[in-house]
Amino acid sequence: MSIVESERPSLPPRLPILDLDDSLLDLLPAAVYVCDAAGLIVRYNRKAAELWGRAPRCGDTEQKFCGAHRLFWPDGRLLPHDQTPMAAALQSGVSTRDQEVVIEQPNGKRVYASVNIDPLKDESGRIVGAVNCFVDITARKQAEKKAQEVQTLLQSIVETTPECIKIVARDGTLLHMNPAGLRMVECGDAAKAVGSSTFDLIAPEDRATWREHHERVCHGERLTWRFDIVGLNGTRRRMETHAAPLTMPDGTVAQLAVTRDISEQARYENELRDRERHFRELLEGLPAAIYTTDAAGRITFYNQAAADLAGRRPEIGEDDWCITWRLYNPDGTPLPHDQCPMAIALKENRPVRGVEILVERPDGSRAIVLPYPTPLRDSAGKLVGAVNVLIDITERKRAEVA
């Protein structure tokens, strides 16, 4: 060998991938490019050019390690070309799998890509280049972002709603409870509540029913029911829960429930029932005959004095307009029930006064009555029914005749 031949620099080994036909590389669904040991791009396919948004010149010393206009890490930090996963693979000889980067094209469009890089080595193990196979994951990242936004929104709703949202395992173990629920059970630490038995919070007299409903929900039913809870500090609350089955990641079925504190509502309802009972007792104790109807004229209530006057017990919700068996005008002509003073008061939405009627009982006895039908309206002024007071003036009329 001559001195000239011994001093001639050796040529870099030729990469086998360079011998592949361009049309074959372009058929690949993934973007592919190859760098030599110095980081120069020596080969790329059509898909790589599409994702880069440009077609760099192979061997260009100004364009090393990647053909992208600019690169970023997924968190938005700039990724210099000499710090890319390709540069790291050429330096370390270590493969890279599923590394996410953001490619910025010359027009400003950004594409998320997942890169997979393998170093290329010669027979002696020396790194002679690397191949990068990368795919566009923009759609997946956008879907993930959208899902995360929805998840964040749902989490915000759960965390800020004033109602208790909880998940209870079939055995009664509390799996999740939002801040509103923790306040209701008087627990300031979610870690202490999660994992405890929900059954222990239910008032003793409601516990068996709650267990039964919970089991039914875990078997697939949707249920709504009321019960009392006793908080950790001993405060008792009336609750109403709307529960549905929830399939957990492990395949088991739990109860997902939205529960609200109805203590004030329950107190109001109890007070309303007490007032209604007191009112009915008051009406029952009055010597005057009193009855009420709904807006359609169906009897909704009558007191004992009314039943005594009519000589019968009307059917609540069945009898219309009047409690009596038969009605007559003062001159003795029949008076249909749907033309009686109460019917007129409801149909014309006005009180009726100064009218005398003759009522006949099933036993044939009769009484002369002064009715005082008065419409009843709700807070919006809508007609909801009427009340009628019947004054028996039979004796007075007889005295007048005498």
Side-chain angles (χ1 to χ4, degrees):
M1 181 182 296
S2 66
I3 297 177
V4 175
E5 289 176 335
S6 64
E7 292 178 352
R8 182 182 300 164
S10 60
L11 296 174
R14 181 172 178 81
L15 301 176
I17 196 171
L18 297 179
D19 296 328
L20 292 175
D21 186 79
D22 284 343
S23 61
L24 180 60
L25 283 179
D26 287 340
L27 287 175
L28 295 176
V32 177
Y33 75 95
V34 183
C35 286
D36 64 13
L40 298 179
I41 298 173
V42 295
R43 193 78 178 272
Y44 62 87
N45 66 355
R46 183 181 298 126
K47 190 66 176 179
E50 290 176 0
L51 295 188
W52 289 334
R54 59 192 297 271
R57 184 168 56 86
C58 288
D60 186 352
T61 57
E62 300 297 322
Q63 184 73 58
K64 299 177 67 175
F65 305 113
C66 183
H69 172 60
R70 288 203 301 174
L71 287 170
F72 297 87
W73 292 111
D75 62 7
R77 290 178 293 122
L78 180 66
L79 175 58
H81 279 51
D82 60 358
Q83 297 177 26
T84 60
M86 173 62 85
L90 289 171
Q91 182 179 3
S92 66
V94 178
S95 297
T96 297
R97 290 290 177 266
D98 300 321
Q99 175 65 61
E100 294 183 3
V101 297
V102 179
I103 300 170
E104 183 177 271
Q105 298 177 353
N107 62 5
K109 178 182 177 181
R110 293 192 174 188
V111 177
Y112 282 86
S114 176
V115 304
N116 291 271
I117 303 172
D118 284 308
L120 301 174
K121 300 178 181 180
D122 61 14
E123 294 180 354
S124 65
R126 182 166 60 97
I127 297 174
V128 295
V131 58
N132 188 346
C133 179
F134 59 108
V135 293
D136 183 354
I137 59 170
T138 305
R140 190 191 81 192
K141 297 299 290 186
Q142 290 175 340
E144 290 175 353
K145 180 181 178 182
K146 185 66 176 178
Q148 182 59 46
E149 290 174 349
V150 172
Q151 178 66 28
T152 301
L153 175 61
L154 290 175
Q155 185 66 26
S156 297
I157 293 173
V158 169
E159 294 299 311
T160 59
T161 181
E163 298 180 342
C164 170
I165 299 178
K166 64 182 183 293
I167 299 174
V168 183
R170 188 166 181 173
D171 64 359
T173 301
L174 181 64
L175 303 178
H176 175 80
M177 181 176 281
N178 68 342
L182 293 172
R183 289 191 294 271
M184 290 178 189
V185 300
E186 300 172 326
C187 179
D189 186 355
K192 292 182 179 179
V194 172
S196 62
S197 175
T198 307
F199 300 143
D200 294 339
L201 296 170
I202 311 301
E205 65 272 20
D206 292 333
R207 201 166 293 167
T209 301
W210 200 96
R211 283 176 178 267
E212 176 191 345
H213 284 76
H214 172 65
E215 188 67 23
R216 288 171 59 186
V217 170
C218 291
H219 273 92
E221 292 187 57
R222 292 173 175 265
L223 297 174
T224 297
W225 73 95
R226 293 182 175 187
F227 56 92
D228 281 7
I229 63 169
V230 180
L232 299 183
N233 295 330
T235 304
R236 192 181 185 97
R237 289 182 170 86
R238 187 66 174 168
M239 313 297 289
E240 180 178 76
T241 193
H242 305 270
L246 175 68
T247 301
M248 303 298 291
D250 62 0
T252 60
V253 179
Q255 176 199 145
L256 170 64
V258 177
T259 306
R260 61 191 184 101
D261 184 348
I262 60 167
S263 301
E264 288 299 322
Q265 177 184 335
R267 278 193 288 271
Y268 174 76
E269 290 174 353
N270 289 336
E271 291 174 359
L272 191 62
R273 281 193 294 269
D274 288 342
R275 287 198 296 268
E276 182 179 353
R277 183 172 60 254
H278 176 72
F279 179 69
R280 285 180 175 269
E281 291 173 352
L282 177 65
L283 293 181
E284 286 290 353
L286 291 176
I290 299 174
Y291 72 94
T292 61
T293 71
D294 61 17
R298 290 183 291 267
I299 305 299
T300 56
F301 168 81
Y302 60 88
N303 64 359
Q304 185 58 46
D308 293 341
L309 176 65
R312 62 189 291 269
R313 303 199 72 85
E315 291 292 330
I316 298 294
E318 296 293 333
D319 284 16
D320 296 328
W321 311 115
C322 189
I323 59 171
T324 56
W325 185 49
R326 289 178 181 170
L327 290 173
Y328 298 88
N329 291 303
D331 62 4
T333 58
L335 176 62
H337 278 63
D338 61 357
Q339 296 177 26
C340 72
M342 177 61 111
I344 295 172
L346 284 166
K347 293 176 181 179
E348 299 182 7
N349 195 8
R350 66 177 179 85
V352 175
R353 300 290 185 265
V355 176
E356 292 183 8
I357 57 175
L358 184 65
V359 302
E360 183 175 281
R361 305 180 182 93
D363 64 4
S365 61
R366 293 185 175 187
I368 304 173
V369 172
L370 274 176
Y372 290 84
T374 304
L376 299 175
R377 304 179 183 89
D378 62 16
S379 59
K382 179 182 177 182
L383 179 70
V384 295
V387 59
N388 198 357
V389 179
L390 303 175
I391 306 298
D392 186 349
I393 60 171
T394 306
E395 294 302 322
R396 192 185 79 185
K397 283 293 188 179
R398 288 174 180 170
E400 291 175 356
V401 172

